[in-house]
């Protein structure tokens, strides 16, 4: 829920339009700059350290972003 709230804030899309399998760029039109802002906000929310080797293209959907937060922060599924 909190990650979707960040996506709503960064994109302006209503939460009920955000399916987890939607591609950030192709389906939602979220460009690379917005994706970087989204990841920065998620990292900040979950105290995840910055990873210089992170490739945004490896996280194309909302489900991938959520899994990233789970994997890096230790939050439960």
């Amino acid at each position: 829920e909190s990650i979707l709230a960040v996506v709503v804030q960064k994109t302006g899309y209503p939460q009920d339009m955000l399916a987890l399998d939607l591609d950030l760029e192709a389906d939602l039109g979220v460009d690379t700059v917005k994706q970087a802002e989204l990841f920065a906000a998620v990292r900040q929310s979950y105290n995840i350290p910055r990873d210089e080797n992170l490739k945004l293209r490896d996280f194309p959907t909302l489900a991938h972003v959520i899994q990233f937060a789970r994997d890096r922060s230790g939050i439960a599924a």
Side-chain angles (χ1 to χ4, degrees):
E1 289 292 316
S2 64
I3 291 175
L4 290 180
V6 170
V7 175
V8 167
Q9 177 190 19
K10 294 292 180 190
T11 66
Y13 282 107
Q15 188 166 340
D16 62 347
M17 284 185 60
L18 299 175
L20 298 183
D21 62 344
L22 291 177
D23 187 278
L24 292 170
E25 192 168 3
D27 296 325
L28 297 175
V30 178
D31 64 20
T32 306
V33 173
K34 284 282 188 206
Q35 287 179 39
E37 291 174 357
L38 171 64
F39 266 83
V42 169
R43 282 194 347 265
Q44 183 177 16
S45 294
Y46 293 98
N47 295 315
I48 299 170
R50 184 180 172 120
D51 180 353
E52 295 294 331
N53 297 317
L54 183 84
K55 305 270 189 281
L56 292 177
R57 67 176 175 261
D58 292 338
F59 304 93
T61 67
L62 293 173
H64 287 103
V65 175
I66 292 168
Q67 192 61 51
F68 164 83
R70 286 180 178 154
D71 291 346
R72 305 277 177 113
S73 70
I75 57 176

